[in-house]
Amino acid sequence: MALKMVKGSIDRMFDKNLQDLVRGIRNHKEDEAKYISQCIDEIKQELKQDNIAVKANAVCKLTYLQMLGYDISWAAFNIIEVMSASKFTFKRIGYLAASQSFHEGTDVIMLTTNQIRKDLSSPSQYDTGVALTGLSCFVTPDLARDLANDIMTLMSHTKPYIRKKAVLIMYKVFLKYPESLRPAFPRLKEKLEDPDPGGRTGMLMRTPRSPGVQSAAVNVICELARRNPKNYLSLAPLFFKLMTSSTNNWVLIKIIKLFGALTPLEPRLGKKLIEPLTNLIHSTSAMSLLYECVNTVIAVLISLSSGMPNHSASIQLCVQKLRILIEDSDQNLKYLGLLAMSKILKTHPKSVQSHKDLILQCLDDKDESIRLRALDLLYGMVSKKNLMEIVKKLMTHVDKAEGTTYRDELLTKIIDICSQSNYQYITNFEWYISILVELTRLEGTRHGHLIAAQMLDVAIRVKAIRKFAVSQMSALLDSAHLLASSTQRNGICEVLYAAAWICGEFSEHLQEPHHTLEAMLRPRVTTLPGHIQAVYVQNVVKLYASILQQKEQAGEAEGAQAVTQLMVDRLPQFVQSADLEVQERASCILQLVKHIQKLQAKDVPVAEEVSALFAGELNPVAPKAQKKVPVPEGLDLDAWINEPLSDSESEDERPRAVFHEEEQRRPKHRPSEADEEELARRREARKQEQANNPFYIKSSPSPQKRYQDTPGVEHIPVVQIDLSVPLKVPGLPMSDQYVKLEEERRHRQKLEKDKRRKKRKEKEKKGKRRHSSLPTESDEDIAPAQQVDIVTEEMPENALPSDEDDKDPNDPYRALDIDLDKPLADSEKLPIQKHRNTETSKSPEKDVPMVEKKSKKPKKKEKKHKEKERDKEKRKEKEKKAEDLDFWLSTTPPPAPAPAPVPSTDECEDAKTEAQGEEDDAEGQDQDKKSPKPKKKKHRKEKEERTKGKKKSKKQPPGSEEAAGEPVQNGAPEEEQLPPESSYSLLAENSYVKMTCDIRGSLQEDSQVTVAIVLENRSSSILKGMELSVLDSLNARMARPQGSSVHDGVPVPFQLPPGVSNEAQYVFTIQSIVMAQKLKGTLSFIAKNDEGATHEKLDFRLHFSCSSYLITTPCYSDAFAKLLESGDLSMSSVKVDGIRMSFQNLLAKICFHHHFSVVERVDSCASMYSRSIQGHHVCLLVKKGENSVSVDGKCSDSTLLSNLLEEMKATLAKC
Amino acid sequence: MIKAILIFNNHGKPQLSKFYQPYSEDTQQQIIRETFHLVSKRDENVCNFLEGGLLIGGSDNKLIYRHYATLYFVFCVDSSESELGILDLIQVFVETLDKCFENVCELDLIFHVDKVHNILAEMVMGGMVLETNMNEIVTQIDAQNKLEKSEAGLAGAPARAVSAVKNMNLPEIPRNINIGDISIKVPNLPSFK
C-alpha cells in the first residue's frame, strides 16, 4: 500500500513520457479505454503549461495515441507550437505529430506557413530536413503555392541531404499546385545529373556518385511521367543516357519502368531500347532489375506488335526468362513471372501457350495468389481447340477447391473464359449450357446471378441452342436442390430466375410443358426471393398460354380446362406473397385466368388471344444503345421549352415551381414568340459550350451503321442432337461426354476434310498442278458443332460511333498534364515570398513601370514587338526540340562527332554490344552538345579566376558564359529566374587541402551570416583533427560553442580521407554591415599517411564583401516605386565604360554576384532590388549605353551604397 | 508511390502506422484491421505479394509484406514501385532498425515508436523512396541523435535519471517479457545490390 503511494507520488512528480504511457496501456489490458481517457486528460493539462518540453512530451504521447485510433485533431494548435520550438528535439516531435494528423481540412495549417519557411532556411540541415519531411505529408494547395519558391531554392542547397528531400517533395508540390510544374521543371531536370555531394570533383570523374539526389529526381519525373507520359517523351534521350550509364539498380528500375510507360507513345523509342534492355537481361544478377527489364521489353514488344515482325527472339528471351522465374522455388518470383507472362499473352498468345503445362501446374500451387495469377493467364490461353480441355481441368479444381473465395474466383474465371469476345472460342453451346448447369451444383457461391446472366444471354442470343437450353432449364426447375438454398442472397437460386424466364419465353420448345408448369407452381416456390417469384408468376402465364394453344389445336377442351383449373388453384399462394411485385402480378393474372375460365366454360376459343399477350420476339439490346440514339434533326434538347421565370432564378432552383409554371404556360404558340436574335445568340453560346464539353456527343454527320439483318430462325440449320447424350440428367457431370463427342466430331470432320482434300489432290494431279497446302490443324479448321448465329445486339438506327473514354474530371493527375517543352513565359513564375511593405493584392496585376510615364508608350510598343520576336524564337526552339527527338530516335546513327573521351559505362563485353555502346556514346555526345556541360566549364572558369585572385566570391553563373560566347538571341527568362547553382570562391589552398567558401546572409537571424567552407583533401594522406581558428574583429565575431574562448579553434566536424571533400558551416555575427571587411584565420590539421602524421597549417583571409550581406529579395514594381518615392533613400551612382557583354547577361551577373533581383526590365534599362540582412533596402537602376553601363543606386545607408557600387564596378569592369 | 506503411504484431496490434494519403482515424484503424486479416491468414511459405484490400484504393495497389518473428511489415504500394525492390526496402528497413537499436526486438518498436518513425523518415518521404543505402541512413540518424543529446545537455540529465528510476521500480521491465528477437536472416532474398 505504502509502495503504491510512493509510486503514485513519483508519477505526479514527473510527467509520464511515451514509454510510461505505453507501459501503462500494457498494464491496463482490461480497462484500456478508461486508462487512455485518463491519460488524455493528463495530456490536456500538460499542454496548458508553458514549458515547451512538457508540451513536446504531451504531443509525443498524442502521436502514439493517434496510431491507436484516437482523434487528436483538437491538439492541432499545440502541435504547431511544438513545431515552432527552437530545439530540434522538440521540432521533430512536432513535425511528426503534424505529419501523422494534419490533412487538408486542418484549419490551423495555414498558420504554419511562416514557421515552415523559417525552418526551410534554417542553417541546420536537420531542421530543414525535418520540415521537408513533415511538409511532404501535409502539404496543401496553399502551402504549396506559398512555399514552392523556397523549396525550389533548396533544390540547389549545398547539402545533398537537403537537395534530395527538396527534389522529392516537389512532386507533392506539383500535385497540389500544378502551376509550379513548368517553372520548376528545368531545375528538376538539372538534378538528373546532380553532382557528387562533396564537391565538383565528381563531375569530372564520372564515377558512381552518391545517388540520392539523382535517384530522387528520377523518382519524381517517373511519377509525373506515369500519369502524363506524352509530356515527357522529350526526356527520353536523357533517360536513355542515364540508363546506359547508371549502375544504381534503384535508378535503373525506375527509368526502365518509365520507358515502359513511354514506349506505347513512341514505337521508335522501343526499337532503340530493345538492345540495351536485352543486354541488361543477360548481364544483371539482380532479379528485380531483370524482372523490370523483361516487363519493359514486353511493353516495347506490345507497342511494336504491329510494325516489326522480327522480334521473335526477344519474345522468346522474355518467355524463357519468365519460365525460369515461374519454375523458381521462390514464390515471389513465381508470382511475378506469372504476372509478366499475362502481359505477353495479350499480344503474343502463341508464345505463352507453349507453356500451358507450367501454368496448369501452377493451378495446383498451395499459394492462392499464384493460383489466381495462373487463372488470369488461362483466360488468354484458350483457343477453340483447347477450351473444353481447360474448362474441364478447372471444373475439377472447382470440386477440389477449399474456401468459397477461391471457388467463386474459379467460377467467374470459367465464365469469363468461355464468354470472352462474344463466345469466340465456344464451338459447342450445348456443352457450355451443361457446364453452366453443372456449376449450379456449387454450394455457397455468391455468383448465382452470373450464371443466370450467362444462361439468359446464351439462350437469347444463340437461337439454335434454345431447344436444348429449355430442356435443361426445365430440368433445373424440376430439381429440388436449388430451392433449398433459397435463403442466401445472390445465392445459386438466382439461376432459377433465368430458368423460369427461358422456359416461359421459349415455351414452344418444351417437351412436357405441363410438367414444367406444375414444377413452377409448387408451394415451395414461395420461399424464393421476391424478384424470382415475380418472374415465375409472369412466366407461368407464358407457359399456360402455350399449353392452351397446344390443347386447343389438338381439340382437347378438357385438358385446357384442367390447366386453367390448376392455375386458379395454385395462383392464390402468390397473391398472398409479401412481395408487392409478386402480389400485384399474381392477382392480376389470377383475375385474367378466372376470366379465361369463364370463357372456356362457354366453349369460346381463347388460346389465340391469350398467346397474343406474349406475341413478338424480344431481341437483345446493346448496353450502350440508349446512349447512342442520335438527336433527330431539328430537335434541340437545349432549347427552352418555356422561358425561365426570370434571370435571377437559376434553373436548378426550386424545380417544383418551374414545373408548375410549365404546366400553366403550356400554350403552343410560345416558341414563335421567341426573339430570333436571342435564339441565335444562345445557339452560338451553346455550340461553344458543346465544343468544350468532352462528354457531348457531337452530331457530326457519321456514316450510318448498318447492322446485318439477322437471318430468320428458319435459316439456321438446327443440328440433330445426338440422342446418345442423355438430355435430362441434371446434377450429373455430363459435360465430359461432350468433350469426347467433340473429339470424335472433330476427328470425323478432319477425316472428311482429308477425304475432300485427297479428292481435290487427285483432281489436281490430273490437272498436273502442284499444291503445297498441308493438312495442318489450326483453329480455323474446327467448325463449330452448331451453325450458331449470335444475334447481334440491337442498336438504334443512326447510332453514333462515340466511344470516348470517360475521363474522370476529378483526377488529380490531370492537372499535371502540362506541356513542359514549351519555353517558360514571363508570367510563369513561382509566387515568391512577399516583401513586408508590398501591397500584395495589387502587385501581381498592376504593372507600374519604374521609368517616367512620358517614355512609357513607345517603350511598350517596342516591348510588344520584342515579345513577338521572342515568341517566334520560342516556336522555333520548340520545333527544334521536336526535331532533336526525331533525330535521336531515327535508327541510323547520327554522324559521329569527334571521338569522345567519354568512356562507355556499359559493362557488356561482347563485340555486338560494344558496337551498340559506341553508338550510345555518339548519342551521349549529341546530348552533350545540346546541353553543354556547364559544370566542367565552370570549373575551368573557377581556376582562371583563382589565378587572377582579385576578388572573392566571384563566379560566373553557369548559363551566362556560354550565352556570352554565342550571339545572344534567347530571351529565355530562366537565366534570371534561377539563381545559379553555386557561388563558392577559393579561400586558400596548399598541397594538402583546398578551401572554398560561400558567404550567405540569412533574413531570419539579424546580423548573422553563414560561411560555408568546403574542404577538399588533395593529398594522399587522411586529414584529421582539423581546427579552424579565426581572429575576431570588433565588428565581426565567429559564433563559437559555449564555453570556448576567443582564441580557441573551432573543430571541423569531420575527417577527410584522400580525395574527399566535405562542407562545414560557421555562423558569424556582424555588427555593422556598411563596410566590407576581412578576417584572418588559420586551418590547422593533422595529415596522416603510411609514413606518419604531420601537423600542418593553412592561413586564409575571409572576405566579407558588402554584397555578401545582401539577400536576394524579390520586389514588385509598385512597391519598388513607392520605396523610391518615399524619399528617405540616399543616392549615388557609378559608370563603367567598355562593356561588350549583353544586357541580359550583365543583369544575370549582378543578380548572381551581388544578390539582386530584377524588378522590371524595359529595353536596355532595368530596376533591381535587394535587401541587406539588417533590413536596408537597396534599389538600383541599371542603364546600358553603347559601350557603357551606368548604375544609379538608392539605399537607406549611403556608406553601404557606395561600397556596394564600388564592388559592382569591379565586377562590371571585368565584363 | 508507397501509400502506407504498417507494422503490426501477430495479434494485429499496430506498432507503427504511416499513411501517405489522408484517412480519418477510424478508416486508418479499419485499414490496419483489414490488412492484418488479409496478411495473417497466409502461410509462411507463400509469396509476399497480395492484391490490395478494398480500403486502400483500387486494383492498382498491392500489399507487399514480410513477416519477421512476431512482426509484420506491410507496405501498400501502387504499380509504379518494383515489387522486389520494395521487398528489399523492407529488408533494409529492418536491418537499419537492427543497427539503430542494436539487436532490435518487438519491444524496441513498442516503446520507441517515435524513433522508428524518425528512421523511416530517412528512408521514405511522402510516399517516395528517399534513401536505400543503410549506411547513409544510419549516419543521418546518428547525427540527429547527437544533435538531440547536445540539445538536452545538462538539463536532460535529471530526466534521464528519472526514467531510469522508473524503469527500475516498475514491475515490468521490458527485457523480462519474452518476445522473440526479430530474426533478420531472410533466405531466398534475390540479391538487389
Side-chain angles (χ1 to χ4, degrees), chain A residues 184-342:
Chain A
F185 196 73
R187 187 168 305 184
L188 185 62
K189 209 167 123 188
E190 226 168 73
K191 294 295 140 193
L192 285 175
E193 295 179 293
D194 192 76
D196 201 37
R200 287 120 292 275
T201 46
M203 250 344 269
L204 296 174
M205 296 196 301
R206 279 199 133 225
T207 45
R209 313 155 188 145
S210 155
V213 185
Q214 190 193 49
S215 137
V218 170
N219 217 334
V220 170
I221 293 182
C222 288
E223 208 51 61
L224 288 168
R226 203 165 69 92
R227 307 293 182 176
N228 300 297
K230 65 175 190 309
N231 301 334
Y232 299 86
L233 214 49
S234 61
L235 288 183
L238 184 56
F239 275 113
F240 191 85
K241 203 175 114 198
L242 278 179
M243 182 177 79
T244 46
S245 64
S246 176
T247 51
N248 179 339
N249 282 349
W250 273 101
V251 172
L252 278 176
I253 287 177
K254 283 280 170 193
I255 293 174
I256 288 168
K257 267 184 168 282
L258 172 71
F259 277 132
L262 292 182
T263 42
L265 302 170
E266 181 53 88
R268 285 177 297 172
L269 176 63
K271 281 180 208 164
K272 237 182 152 59
L273 283 171
I274 287 248
E275 196 142 358
L277 285 178
T278 316
N279 293 339
L280 268 176
I281 291 177
H282 282 303
S283 63
T284 184
S285 61
M287 277 302 187
S288 44
L289 185 57
L290 171 85
Y291 172 67
E292 296 305 339
C293 285
V294 170
N295 251 336
T296 299
V297 170
I298 294 169
V300 169
L301 292 176
I302 290 172
S303 73
L304 287 180
S305 59
S306 50
M308 300 259 285
N310 223 355
H311 280 294
S312 56
S314 305
I315 301 166
Q316 233 29 61
L317 176 69
C318 288
V319 175
Q320 255 172 34
K321 287 282 175 186
L322 290 179
R323 183 168 180 119
I324 293 172
L325 291 186
I326 297 173
E327 280 172 335
D328 199 290
S329 61
D330 186 341
Q331 297 284 328
N332 291 331
L333 298 184
K334 196 177 278 227
Y335 173 88
L336 293 177
L338 290 169
L339 197 65
M341 203 69 121
S342 65

Side-chain angles (χ1 to χ4, degrees), chain B residues 63-120:
Chain B
L63 296 175
I64 299 176
Y65 72 98
R66 275 185 184 280
H67 189 194
Y68 295 95
T70 56
L71 291 178
Y72 285 97
F73 288 70
V74 187
F75 281 45
C76 180
V77 302
D78 68 13
S79 62
S80 74
E81 299 294 340
S82 147
E83 289 89 347
L84 294 172
I86 293 293
L87 269 186
D88 216 68
L89 187 71
I90 301 180
Q91 178 74 7
V92 171
F93 184 32
V94 174
E95 281 180 30
T96 312
L97 288 176
D98 195 56
K99 238 185 182 164
C100 292
F101 284 110
E102 286 158 16
N103 276 329
V104 67
C105 73
E106 190 186 340
L107 281 174
D108 291 319
L109 269 60
I110 292 175
F111 284 103
H112 301 284
V113 62
D114 48 342
K115 287 184 186 157
V116 183
H117 267 297
N118 295 337
I119 293 168
L120 186 61

Side-chain angles (χ1 to χ4, degrees), chain A residues 89 126 249 332 367 373, chain B residues 47-48 51 122 140 151 192:
Chain A
T89 319
Y126 292 114
N249 282 349
N332 291 331
D367 188 346
R373 285 279 141 241
Chain B
C47 72
N48 298 95
E51 253 98 309
E122 294 299 327
Q140 300 298 351
E151 279 181 352
F192 191 71

Side-chain angles (χ1 to χ4, degrees), chain A residues 503-504 506-521 539-567 596 600 606-608 610-611 614:
Chain A
C503 284
F506 307 119
S507 50
E508 69 269 19
H509 298 299
L510 269 178
Q511 283 179 329
E512 295 175 53
H514 197 271
H515 185 74
T516 310
L517 184 67
E518 271 182 36
M520 287 173 79
L521 288 171
N539 285 284
V540 155
V541 199
K542 292 182 192 166
L543 211 51
Y544 167 69
S546 87
I547 295 174
L548 220 53
Q549 197 153 27
Q550 263 179 29
K551 299 272 177 189
E552 272 188 16
Q553 272 166 4
E556 298 174 36
E558 271 174 39
Q561 278 173 6
V563 178
T564 313
Q565 189 54 45
L566 180 74
M567 291 285 280
I596 292 169
Q600 274 179 331
V606 285
E608 205 64 26
V610 176
S611 11
F614 307 105

